[in-house]
Amino acid sequence: MDVLRPTLIRIGGRVYRKNLIQEQAYEHEEEEDFCAGPGDCTDEPCDAFVVEETEKGFQCRVEVPSPLYKYIIGKKGETKKRLETETRTSISIPKPGVEGEIVITGQHRSGVISARTRIDVLLDSFRKKQPFTHFLSFALNQPAIQEKFLQFKEEVLEKCSKDHGVSSSLFQNPAKLHLTLGTLVLLNEQEIQKACDLLQRCKEDFVDQIAGGKPLTVEVAGVEYMNDDPAMTDVLYAKVHMKDGSDRLQLIADQLVERFVASGLMLKEWDRVKLHATVMNTLFRKDPSAEERNSTMTGKSSFKERESFNGRNILKLFENFCFGEVQLDSVRLSQRFSSDASGYYATSGQL
């Protein structure tokens, strides 16, 4: 990293420099520590959060999901001690598993601001390492689509089963066919409710207007692959487009993601949402409930463990395969690794 052009991190409407640090790797993630030099403790004014004046000095409260407490505490409490020492503050953290606020207190306003800023940067860094828990989706599991998908699966196995890597374990569960708009890390009920509330505001602000108050009729037809070499395919997906040729579905998807990114609930991954419905995925070989994250930014990559398949014949033979038409009438906040009575993902909220 060029020290004159450091990485910038945007938190709460403000921009911070990310200084180069020497990271330490621990055997278990929960023991990861946060290292920062004294130079990071910059007393700079901040209006992105509230600092209250008290009889003994100053105080700032920050809502943090309980699964992230351990990253502020650090290995054997080292991170918390370092933050308190370097910013001359006291940091009170709720007991593990108990939802609540972290309270920062100190005699100097600048120290409280510095501690809060460093905690925000720390949490932002570790939140990005969490596996996603929810995703915004359009369900594509209507009976007619499921029937055509099963026909597609049967014909692929009949005509292409001898191609390298092709097997029945690669196929999506027909009850879970969907379009993913974006993934979220929601770590407690408050964050889930915040996402649900934002979804409803999106409906009122622009979704109803773009959709005209009616379901969107889309066609699911044709297949395409994700990576560069069709002979080494990991994800094969069905293409989706509006039947009337308009871009209304794309507009809704892009604006939803834009709103969720702006709220801090979602990370920006692409300039536009790639509308696709996964039909085959090499992640399903070992874990039928696996979900693809549309990003390479977070977590430990599972691509190293994948066995790709040769998709050339599938692409040639099923290039224009028609899965049918769907009426899209709701966007769902779907919960990863879950199922409802229909076999689709459990829904935390929808518009």
Side-chain angles (χ1 to χ4, degrees):
M1 180 183 75
D2 189 337
V3 294
L4 297 179
R5 296 180 177 83
T7 302
L8 300 179
I9 299 176
R10 290 172 172 79
I11 300 175
R14 294 182 65 85
V15 180
Y16 301 97
R17 297 182 301 275
K18 182 178 180 182
N19 293 336
L20 183 63
I21 61 174
Q22 183 67 38
E23 294 188 355
Q24 299 183 35
Y26 296 96
E27 182 178 354
H28 302 292
E29 185 184 41
E30 60 265 30
E31 294 184 347
E32 291 192 53
D33 200 5
F34 174 69
C35 300
D40 289 333
C41 179
T42 305
D43 297 340
E44 47 182 275
C46 182
D47 55 6
F49 41 79
V50 176
V51 178
E52 302 171 333
E53 188 169 3
T54 66
E55 293 180 358
K56 297 183 179 180
F58 297 87
Q59 177 178 277
C60 182
R61 298 174 178 272
V62 52
E63 291 187 6
V64 178
S66 59
L68 297 181
Y69 293 165
K70 60 187 178 184
Y71 300 118
I72 302 171
I73 297 170
K75 184 181 181 182
K76 297 181 180 179
E78 291 175 2
T79 300
K80 179 175 177 288
K81 291 176 185 176
R82 184 181 299 114
L83 285 171
E84 291 177 322
T85 300
E86 295 180 356
T87 61
R88 296 180 182 179
T89 59
S90 175
I91 301 172
S92 175
I93 302 174
K95 294 180 180 180
V98 178
E99 297 297 337
E101 294 179 319
I102 289 177
V103 181
I104 307 165
T105 56
Q107 293 184 346
H108 303 285
R109 186 174 189 273
S110 59
V112 172
I113 290 173
S114 181
R116 168 63 190 267
T117 300
R118 289 173 60 172
I119 286 174
D120 283 346
V121 173
L122 177 62
L123 293 175
D124 182 69
S125 173
F126 282 109
R127 180 180 281 276
K128 289 177 180 177
K129 296 182 180 182
Q130 304 301 309
F132 74 91
T133 60
H134 295 74
F135 57 100
L136 294 182
S137 74
F138 282 108
L140 298 177
N141 64 343
Q142 289 79 351
I145 297 292
Q146 289 197 47
E147 185 177 342
K148 291 292 288 185
F149 170 78
L150 291 173
Q151 178 188 332
F152 168 78
K153 177 180 178 179
E154 182 180 343
E155 292 184 13
V156 167
L157 293 175
E158 179 183 333
K159 299 174 181 178
C160 307
S161 61
K162 293 184 180 180
D163 294 345
H164 175 76
V166 175
S167 72
S168 61
S169 64
L170 297 177
F171 291 85
Q172 173 68 280
N173 177 345
K176 292 187 181 297
L177 287 167
H178 67 278
L179 293 178
T180 297
L181 305 186
T183 58
L184 305 95
V185 177
L186 305 177
L187 299 177
N188 59 20
E189 290 301 321
Q190 290 88 338
E191 292 190 344
I192 293 173
Q193 187 58 53
K194 183 179 177 182
C196 291
D197 293 344
L198 179 56
L199 202 55
Q200 289 303 314
R201 289 199 299 274
C202 289
K203 171 181 169 63
E204 298 165 4
D205 291 348
F206 61 86
V207 173
D208 282 346
Q209 181 180 357
I210 295 174
K214 299 178 181 179
L216 300 177
T217 303
V218 303
E219 289 182 333
V220 185
V223 292
E224 191 56 87
Y225 62 105
M226 282 287 190
N227 51 307
D228 298 329
D229 185 359
M232 297 289 289
T233 299
D234 281 317
V235 177
L236 191 80
Y237 63 90
K239 294 183 283 189
V240 180
H241 61 272
M242 288 289 298
K243 186 178 180 181
D244 62 10
S246 73
D247 63 350
R248 288 185 296 157
L249 177 60
Q250 187 71 54
L251 281 174
I252 289 174
D254 289 341
Q255 290 191 34
L256 278 169
V257 170
E258 184 178 330
R259 282 291 188 90
F260 272 78
V261 169
S263 74
L265 290 171
M266 187 180 289
L267 295 176
K268 185 175 179 63
E269 300 178 25
W270 311 107
D271 290 334
R272 300 185 75 201
V273 175
K274 187 176 182 65
L275 296 172
H276 68 283
T278 299
V279 292
M280 298 175 70
N281 190 331
T282 53
L283 284 179
F284 297 155
R285 277 193 208 280
K286 295 183 178 180
D287 182 6
S289 66
E291 279 300 316
E292 188 74 74
R293 182 165 195 156
N294 300 328
S295 171
T296 58
M297 295 187 296
T298 60
K300 299 178 177 64
S301 174
S302 58
F303 284 84
K304 296 178 182 178
E305 304 171 3
R306 291 183 168 188
E307 179 193 348
S308 300
F309 66 93
N310 187 342
R312 285 176 173 167
N313 284 331
I314 298 174
L315 289 162
K316 182 179 179 180
L317 295 172
F318 300 92
E319 179 182 7
N320 298 310
F321 187 90
C322 182
F323 294 87
E325 293 183 8
V326 188
Q327 299 285 319
L328 301 181
D329 58 4
S330 67
V331 179
R332 309 187 188 197
L333 179 62
S334 300
Q335 184 179 333
R336 194 182 186 192
F337 304 131
S338 67
S339 297
D340 62 14
S342 72
Y344 193 68
Y345 301 94
T347 301
S348 298
Q350 67 183 60
L351 62 79

